[in-house]
Amino acid sequence: MTDLTDLLSSARASIAGAADPAALDTVRIEYLGKKGKLTELMKGLGAIAPEKRKERGAALNQLKNDITTELEKRTETLNAGALDARLAAERVDITLPARAASLPEGRIHPISQTIDEIVSIFGDMGFNVAEGPDIEEDFYNFSALNIPPEHPARQTQDTFYLNVMTTSPGASEPSPMVLRTHTSPVQIRTMMSQKPPIRIIVPGRTYRSDHDATHSPNFHQVEGLVIDTSTHMGHLKGCLIDFARTFFDVPDLPLRFRPSHFPFTEPSAEVDIGCSRKGGELKIGNFGDWLEVLGCGMVHPKVIANCGLDPAVYQGFAFGMGIERMAMLKYGIPDLRTFYEADLRWLKHYGFMPVDLPSTTGGLAR
Amino acid sequence: MKFTLGWLKTHLETNAAVGEIADKLTAIGLELEGIEDRAAILSKFVVGYVVEAKQHPDADRLRVCIVDNGKEKLQVVCGAPNARSGMKGVFAASGSYIPGKDVELKKSVIRGQESNGMLLSMMEMGLGDDHDGIVDLPADAPVGAPAAQVMGLDDPVIDIAITPNRADCLGVRGVARDLAASGLGTLKPRKVEPVAGKFKSHIGVKFDFPAGTENACPYFVGRLIKGVKNGPSPKWLQDRLTAIGLRPISALVDITNFLTFDIDRPLHVFDAAKVKGDLTLRLAKPGEKILALNGKEYTLTGSETVISDNAGVEALGGVIGGEPSGCTEATTDVFVEAALFDPLRTAATGRKHELISDARYRFERGLDVAAVVEGMEAATRMILELCGGEPSELVITGKLPEWKRSYTLRHERLHGLGGLDISLEDAAAILQRLGFAVAKDGNSLKAEPPSWRGDIQGEADLVEEVARIRGYEHIAAVSLTRDAGVAKPALTPQQRRVRESKRALASLGLVEAVTFSFMAREQAALFGGTSAELLLANPISADLDRMRPSILPNLVLAAKGNADRGYPDAALFEVGPQFSGPKPEGQQIVAAGIRAGKTGPRHWAAAQRAADVFDAKGDALALLTALGLSTENVQAVPEAPSWYHPGRSGALKLGPKTVIAHFGELHPGVLAKLDAEGPIAAFEIYLDALPAPKAKGSKARPMLRLSALQPVERDFAFLLDAGIESAKVIAAVKQAGKEVAEAAVAAVSVFDVYQGKGVPEGKKSLAIQVRLQPKDRTLTDAEIEAIGQKIVGAVSKATGASLRS
């Protein structure tokens, strides 16, 4: 049987020597092809005496298996080498810049982001978002809110007027339309069109005839209104404390409610939050100093009556705050005017990723 | 409103420190604006005695002084002309801070002479502009004592903000009353005894108001005081006025200013010798003039309340006195006025003539209606005390307006509205301390506001008074929770769409801008905004004088601004209002965006190109898709407003009438007028015009049926007239697909458009790929071929196209 051992040895040598798949195939044919060396030996089995045939057959089969295995192994090795060579040839400089289109260049403006945050927090307390027109009638912007005609806020230095006159409900003379000076007219529109209980927040554009470092002629406010039969000042405090602590993400943020005066609320309050101004840097938190953030109060009985509701039955609170101011405080934006300059450098720096959608479940803005 | 701590203490008995008082003021609604403790700033300065002042040996303008500071004698070089031996001045030692110069004083040698400190001028002390010489202190000033004390500057100045409803706190006494009510001390009793008149005034006073305007001045009290000696007022009075920023003038004027701030009672003093005849209170005659005490002349319109004599207008009632009858140092007979003026008319007069005065400020907010005579008596006593003289009887004209009224405060309301737990007795005590007359009536109080609280108009005001004085910190916070039941979303479907638009556009690589709702009318006109109804009557500037008819001009100008800063490739959007009319329905919400310059930076893997109409179309369609609209039914037609390039723009329509968007490159002529570089690709999506999102009902989607059969793709290249729209070819392919029974046209894409070599002039080659979805079985080659023929036939029939060979 030494002929078989030699044959295996020579096959192994040939297989190992095959440098590529074609050479290996030649080897396979040399041994296992129709006229291959092993095939020829197989053909010779018939001539062997039956008592020896079985043993010889088993040996040949073993040899065939061995050679086949060797061929498969070599094929794998050769394939792997070819793939390695291809991969090496395909190598690129991965430090080159990525394809431009795949980079998220878009941003959400801080005003939109802040509105989304505020809506999310109040939404959790059962508030719905209400809206109203930017160009308002005198009645909704002033008279119904208990702001009499002689009030300083009505003077042209504060209010933008249009050259269009309207006669508001209950008014004897027409008055010019105004750009709303606050989001409060939506309180009136809502109370006149919707039966209590009411819980609304009103983010929107507002306008005042003022343009300097701390005033913009067009800015944003968010108004809140709760009207039912039992909401009192304790709820007002609770609601705004919960809001401010969530918004600024400072669980122990102190809030101070100070008596103040607005024509449309009674009692009225201004609200300060805790802060520090040490070293000229403003920090929000329990640091002993105070910073005014919003005005609020219990809706004035006259305002409720002006909307056709009975002030002996219905009561509630209202509050209003500047959205830019909240954004400036939370995100450390120093200058109000920059919100409207559409400077790409500013927008990319202070803007937010589109996927950064605030929610109280997933968290407010990153 | 400013006052000093010492001044406050003339009305309030208290041991509270200034910091405690400041905190309490804020807590009761008299918000602290600041405390200026001048003594603290000046604490290092002492009274110095100039033992000797010699000429500096090497400098003509300097003197070498030996100053005794109470502890030691020091050599000081001084440049002041009034430095002399034997005087007393304000001495600052080396190392102290000089507020007027914002420097730290250093020991120095001046022209060879050692100088160990400084004798200060008023300016150097930070007390004004006076730098003519060093401060000359009285001879009896104790050497070494704190200079601030000697100069009457050791009284901290408190500044508070008074809300418009609290006219009663525009006097120190009102502030003291509020503080006393809050428990920070006791209000000192004050009783002004009337002064008996010695004679009848020769100046009479009468009212002459047209019917219906009598409330312009309902009540006037006058008094003539003869034989006064006017001159500088005493130091304590000058110090008070100086501390709150008023300039002492003369005793008579200083007394009126003092009482204005002390008891909130504005007064006026006429020089009786210059009053011609009686005084008449009336409305001004149009064109009448008055030379006011501020030195300016005002021409009156007719609505002002004036006090006139035979010579003309002598004062604008409640606002300012006139120069001709004003008091001077030479005045010997003075006619004192205390009156009530209508708040509205006073405010209107002040506004009309841009005249701000302490009197106007008080009258327009409403004063204590019952304290007019008391104010006159207080003024009389001060004048007699400081200037001497003999008083007449009071000249009283008119009638005091009725001011007494009462309101019920139910105990339940204190918690029910104010959220405050407080007994009815404690509430009553608070109101009494504030001056209310209070009577208990079962579970309620009947409260009569005092004459100085015109702002109290109902029960809610009483709740506020009690809560304010008790302190808002005593109101227990109660969290507001959602009502039980199924939560409704905070946003309506339309509001949600606005929010999603912003997120979607930002995801497309556009940066959100927020711009003003108004712009220049010329720019508005370029974008269809020509109606005069949307012009502002009082714009802040000419370039912000009209409501915007479109967001695009603002975005174009923003892109231009960025280009000017060196960033020419701006991709910006804004979702906000635009205005077509002043009524609510004239306000639409629009998602607008632009891509200016190149679509991206220069890049190794992609050629840089300018933004074009197809970027805008892509943005618009991507947004519509993101909002959940099927763009299947959206048709792009070449119709767009005049601010778009007529050949590179279009409208997106749903059906023949509903335009939901415009897109395209902006018109080069419009860009030129905006001084902006083109091309700029822009889109406007009219969010209000989109079909309303499904608000209610089943959210289930149609059953999805997935075919097990492989789709087949076939390419066709057509040769057709260059002017024929590709949409026609696609529509023809889709139409042909509908007539095929065994397969559906699942998709058609355009993969090549070519004009040029190999294509005849006026023609174009349009290559499309059609994806066929077999319906019941795999198609044979012959069947596919037959469908291809049908498609070619249909396209050819619809467009005249032929298959390109």
Side-chain angles (χ1 to χ4, degrees):
Chain A
M1 297 279 227
T2 51
D3 58 332
L4 297 191
T5 315
D6 291 347
L7 192 64
L8 183 58
S9 302
S10 76
R12 277 187 172 144
S14 301
I15 287 168
D20 54 48
L24 190 63
D25 204 43
T26 311
V27 176
R28 183 185 61 79
I29 292 164
E30 184 188 343
Y31 290 91
L32 304 179
K34 281 183 185 169
K35 291 183 178 165
K37 289 177 180 166
L38 186 61
T39 317
E40 292 300 326
L41 289 177
M42 291 281 202
K43 285 179 189 163
L45 269 181
I48 291 170
E51 66 275 12
K52 290 207 169 176
R53 196 183 295 158
K54 194 178 175 187
E55 191 190 348
R56 178 75 176 174
L60 284 174
N61 269 332
Q62 180 59 46
L63 182 61
K64 188 181 179 185
N65 284 344
D66 289 350
I67 292 173
T68 304
T69 306
E70 292 289 328
L71 281 169
E72 282 170 359
K73 272 199 213 156
R74 185 64 184 157
T75 303
E76 245 171 65
T77 307
L78 287 178
N79 282 348
L83 186 60
D84 283 348
R86 191 183 123 201
L87 293 178
E90 285 175 355
R91 188 175 193 86
V92 295
D93 172 9
I94 55 82
T95 67
L96 279 170
R99 286 187 202 282
S102 56
L103 296 176
E105 293 288 326
R107 294 290 185 281
I108 292 292
H109 195 285
I111 290 176
S112 295
Q113 187 76 9
T114 305
I115 289 175
D116 285 348
E117 292 185 60
I118 293 171
V119 167
S120 159
I121 299 168
F122 285 111
D124 243 24
M125 299 184 210
F127 285 75
N128 293 310
V129 174
E131 290 167 303
D134 292 21
I135 303 175
E136 262 297 0
E137 293 178 34
D138 180 279
F139 173 77
Y140 296 103
N141 195 70
F142 291 127
S143 344
L145 286 159
N146 199 31
I147 305 173
E150 64 279 3
H151 194 277
R154 296 237 192 159
Q155 301 314 311
T156 47
Q157 61 261 37
D158 291 314
T159 306
F160 285 114
Y161 289 92
L162 267 70
N163 285 319
V164 179
M165 310 292 281
T166 52
T167 306
S168 297
S172 52
E173 307 174 6
S175 47
M177 298 193 85
V178 302
L179 297 190
R180 65 178 181 192
T181 56
H182 43 193
T183 40
S184 310
V186 183
Q187 285 187 28
I188 305 299
R189 290 182 176 272
T190 305
M191 280 192 273
M192 291 181 81
S193 64
Q194 199 176 312
K195 259 183 82 75
I198 292 170
R199 280 189 199 185
I200 53 161
I201 41 166
V202 187
R205 288 179 173 240
T206 46
Y207 307 85
R208 283 188 205 169
S209 187
D210 239 338
H211 205 181
D212 57 36
T214 54
H215 297 90
S216 171
N218 187 176
F219 59 105
H220 292 72
Q221 275 191 348
V222 64
E223 188 87 6
L225 175 73
V226 174
I227 296 289
D228 53 30
T229 55
S230 61
T231 291
H232 58 64
M233 259 189 113
H235 298 107
L236 169 60
K237 276 184 83 171
C239 172
L240 292 177
I241 290 170
D242 290 345
F243 162 73
R245 289 179 177 171
T246 312
F247 180 78
F248 289 107
D249 196 15
V250 179
D252 65 344
L253 181 66
L255 272 81
R256 181 170 79 169
F257 288 73
R258 283 184 285 109
S260 189
H261 172 74
F262 306 106
F264 29 87
T265 50
E266 191 71 41
S268 306
E270 277 181 339
V271 181
D272 301 333
I273 56 171
C275 75
S276 155
R277 293 182 173 89
K278 285 211 180 81
E281 191 199 351
L282 184 71
K283 278 192 289 186
I284 306 295
N286 190 2
F287 302 115
D289 205 352
W290 296 103
L291 180 77
E292 185 186 326
V293 288
L294 60 88
C296 61
M298 302 304 295
V299 180
H300 199 295
K302 283 187 190 167
V303 174
I304 292 176
N306 287 343
C307 298
L309 298 175
D310 182 357
V313 177
Y314 295 111
Q315 64 179 46
F317 65 73
F319 59 84
M321 64 186 120
I323 290 170
E324 287 86 344
R325 180 163 171 77
M326 297 304 276
M328 287 165 81
L329 294 177
K330 181 165 182 179
Y331 295 109
I333 305 173
D335 187 346
L336 171 67
R337 289 170 296 189
T338 55
F339 281 79
Y340 300 93
E341 284 169 358
D343 186 328
L344 280 170
R345 297 166 299 176
W346 188 95
L347 293 169
K348 293 218 169 149
H349 180 76
Y350 289 112
F352 294 81
M353 286 295 164
V355 294
D356 188 2
L357 183 62
S359 77
T360 51
T361 48
L364 298 178
R366 288 196 283 251
Chain B
M1 165 78 188
K2 281 183 177 179
F3 53 91
T4 69
L5 180 61
W7 195 344
L8 178 69
K9 284 185 175 179
T10 63
H11 292 286
L12 183 70
E13 192 72 59
T14 183
N15 293 320
V18 68
E20 198 186 337
I21 291 172
D23 288 347
K24 185 58 92 178
L25 284 167
T26 295
I28 60 177
L30 306 176
E31 189 187 358
L32 185 80
E33 299 266 270
I35 303 175
E36 189 194 341
D37 190 355
R38 294 171 300 171
I41 301 164
L42 307 175
S43 64
K44 294 258 178 73
F45 307 146
V46 297
V47 177
Y49 175 64
V50 183
V51 181
E52 181 190 50
K54 288 189 304 190
Q55 185 61 41
H56 190 291
D58 300 315
D60 289 349
R61 312 257 294 265
L62 297 179
R63 259 161 284 268
V64 180
C65 306
I66 303 298
V67 179
D68 180 357
N69 67 1
K71 286 184 191 145
E72 53 187 329
K73 295 190 174 65
L74 296 162
Q75 176 170 306
V76 174
V77 178
C78 180
N82 63 335
R84 62 189 188 278
S85 302
M87 77 176 291
K88 284 180 179 169
V90 178
F91 176 71
S94 300
S96 51
Y97 172 76
I98 308 300
K101 293 196 154 174
D102 193 23
V103 291
E104 189 164 310
L105 191 59
K106 288 194 176 76
K107 186 172 171 172
S108 59
V109 176
I110 301 170
R111 298 260 182 129
Q113 295 293 322
E114 194 175 288
S115 186
N116 297 298
M118 195 171 173
L119 288 162
L120 302 176
S121 69
M122 288 295 273
M123 192 203 81
E124 284 155 346
M125 291 179 79
L127 299 172
D129 307 329
D130 191 352
H131 195 45
D132 290 344
I134 54 175
V135 176
D136 214 338
L137 292 176
D140 60 357
V143 176
Q149 195 182 352
V150 171
M151 295 175 74
L153 300 172
D154 57 339
D155 199 3
V157 179
I158 298 167
D159 188 5
I160 55 177
I162 306 290
T163 52
N165 57 325
R166 294 305 305 279
D168 62 305
C169 284
L170 294 172
V172 180
R173 184 153 187 89
V175 175
R177 185 189 299 114
D178 252 35
L179 282 170
S182 74
L184 211 80
T186 23
L187 188 67
K188 289 185 179 172
R190 176 187 166 90
K191 179 115 179 79
V192 182
E193 290 297 335
V195 179
K198 301 277 174 62
F199 59 94
K200 206 172 159 64
S201 165
H202 72 266
I203 299 176
V205 174
K206 65 172 193 283
F207 289 172
D208 182 16
F209 292 107
T213 62
E214 294 90 345
N215 71 341
C217 175
Y219 192 64
F220 185 104
V221 179
R223 172 174 260 163
L224 181 66
I225 304 176
K226 278 184 181 169
V228 299
K229 190 180 176 311
N230 199 10
S233 55
K235 183 169 178 309
W236 71 265
L237 180 49
Q238 295 201 13
D239 285 348
R240 291 261 151 92
L241 297 179
T242 312
I244 63 168
L246 293 179
R247 192 165 53 91
I249 294 165
S250 69
L252 288 174
V253 176
D254 292 356
I255 287 167
T256 64
N257 283 335
F258 173 74
L259 290 174
T260 299
F261 284 88
D262 188 50
I263 55 169
D264 197 11
R265 174 23 72 185
L267 302 152
H268 182 59
V269 283
F270 297 91
D271 185 332
K274 297 174 190 161
V275 174
K276 310 281 182 278
D278 288 343
L279 292 175
T280 302
L281 281 107
R282 57 169 172 83
L283 296 188
K285 295 168 190 156
E288 252 181 334
K289 288 182 168 44
I290 175 175
L291 177 62
L293 279 170
N294 59 9
K296 291 183 190 161
E297 189 178 74
Y298 297 91
T299 304
L300 307 180
T301 62
S303 63
E304 304 89 345
T305 307
V306 300
I307 305 172
S308 66
D309 62 5
N310 295 342
V313 177
E314 298 297 349
L316 271 178
V319 180
I320 197 164
E323 185 69 43
S325 58
C327 287
T328 64
E329 298 270 324
T331 299
T332 56
D333 294 351
V334 61
F335 189 78
V336 187
E337 163 219 320
L340 289 178
F341 293 102
D342 175 31
L344 300 188
R345 195 175 289 276
T346 311
T349 298
R351 252 191 334 260
K352 189 177 291 169
H353 298 291
E354 293 177 354
L355 236 167
I356 295 160
S357 70
D358 292 322
R360 169 198 163 183
Y361 195 73
R362 284 164 178 74
F363 279 115
E364 69 186 12
R365 283 164 174 75
L367 290 177
D368 185 345
V369 286
V372 189
V373 169
E374 188 199 314
M376 174 60 79
E377 299 293 3
T380 308
R381 287 191 169 271
M382 273 190 91
I383 291 172
L384 295 182
E385 188 186 326
L386 303 183
C387 308
E390 200 179 33
S392 77
E393 291 165 9
L394 294 179
V395 182
I396 295 181
T397 312
K399 217 177 90 190
L400 270 185
E402 194 48 59
W403 55 270
K404 289 201 175 181
R405 63 205 184 280
S406 78
Y407 303 104
T408 300
L409 172 60
R410 291 164 287 168
H411 187 214
E412 172 277 318
R413 289 279 79 194
L414 288 167
H415 187 269
L417 181 68
L420 194 65
D421 285 315
I422 186 171
S423 72
L424 197 58
E425 289 68 30
D426 288 351
I430 285 173
L431 290 174
Q432 274 160 349
R433 289 201 295 272
L434 288 170
F436 288 76
V438 180
K440 195 161 176 264
D441 178 11
N443 250 339
S444 299
L445 299 176
K446 256 196 148 38
E448 187 180 283
S451 55
W452 55 83
R453 291 302 301 269
D455 61 306
I456 304 292
Q457 295 287 337
E459 192 177 32
D461 298 291
L462 298 176
V463 172
E464 180 176 67
E465 288 307 295
V466 173
R468 175 175 81 80
I469 297 299
R470 180 96 173 95
Y472 281 5
E473 69 274 19
H474 293 288
I475 298 170
V478 186
S479 282
L480 207 61
T481 49
R482 252 186 208 277
D483 288 339
V486 180
K488 204 176 119 191
L491 298 177
T492 64
Q494 282 290 0
Q495 290 164 345
R496 174 173 160 166
R497 193 174 258 179
V498 169
R499 171 151 94 180
E500 286 172 345
S501 297
K502 297 177 183 177
R503 304 273 161 189
L505 291 171
S507 298
L508 290 170
L510 294 130
V511 177
E512 189 187 10
V514 176
T515 65
F516 290 160
S517 299
F518 24 59
M519 57 176 59
R521 67 174 82 183
E522 296 79 16
Q523 287 161 6
L526 297 173
F527 289 76
T530 49
S531 146
E533 282 192 314
L534 289 165
L535 289 172
L536 298 187
N538 58 332
I540 204 147
S541 67
D543 58 352
L544 297 173
D545 67 350
R546 194 195 187 277
M547 300 309 285
R548 62 189 190 189
S550 161
I551 299 171
L552 290 180
N554 279 351
L555 294 180
V556 170
L557 292 176
K560 176 177 147 52
N562 281 297
D564 291 347
R565 287 185 285 264
Y567 297 85
D569 304 332
L572 294 167
F573 77 94
E574 178 169 356
V575 182
Q578 70 178 37
F579 301 85
S580 60
K583 292 276 156 57
E585 58 274 18
Q587 177 171 340
Q588 296 92 29
I589 185 125
V590 178
I594 60 164
R595 289 183 188 270
K598 302 284 192 272
T599 57
R602 286 182 75 183
H603 198 275
W604 60 273
Q608 203 182 20
R609 63 173 181 83
D612 65 22
V613 51
F614 298 106
D615 290 306
K617 185 180 180 183
D619 288 335
L621 289 170
L623 175 56
L624 294 173
T625 308
L627 293 181
L629 259 86
S630 160
T631 48
E632 275 286 283
N633 305 321
V634 172
Q635 224 187 334
V637 294
E639 302 162 4
S642 60
W643 51 92
Y644 287 98
H645 185 310
R648 290 172 166 250
S649 62
L652 295 180
K653 283 184 165 181
L654 275 175
K657 281 189 186 151
T658 312
V659 175
I660 56 173
H662 284 117
F663 65 91
E665 291 166 35
L666 291 177
H667 198 294
V670 169
L671 290 181
K673 284 186 178 140
L674 292 173
D675 200 18
E677 290 278 333
I680 293 179
F683 62 86
E684 294 168 279
I685 294 157
Y686 311 109
L687 296 178
D688 295 330
L690 302 182
K694 200 172 172 186
K696 280 183 186 157
S698 169
K699 305 286 182 195
R701 304 188 176 195
M703 177 70 84
L704 175 64
R705 294 180 200 283
L706 296 171
S707 174
L709 301 170
Q710 286 255 359
V712 184
E713 279 163 357
R714 282 290 176 274
D715 292 353
F716 303 89
F718 291 105
L719 195 64
L720 67 169
D721 285 351
I724 293 173
E725 290 158 2
S726 62
K728 272 197 175 162
V729 173
I730 293 168
V733 172
K734 287 186 175 168
Q735 190 55 43
K738 285 183 187 158
E739 287 154 23
V740 174
E742 58 272 35
V745 171
V748 185
S749 57
V750 177
F751 65 88
D752 189 47
V753 182
Y754 177 72
Q755 275 177 285
K757 200 172 171 226
V759 173
E761 185 78 21
K763 299 271 181 187
K764 69 180 168 189
S765 158
L766 187 79
I768 62 172
Q769 183 180 63
V770 179
R771 190 178 173 91
L772 295 169
Q773 178 60 54
K775 287 179 180 166
D776 309 317
R777 58 189 167 75
T778 305
L779 301 177
T780 64
D781 285 352
E783 283 168 330
I784 296 169
E785 181 62 25
I787 295 170
Q789 293 294 344
K790 273 188 187 168
I791 287 174
V792 172
V795 171
S796 176
K797 193 177 165 201
T799 66
S802 58
L803 210 52
R804 201 178 164 200
S805 46

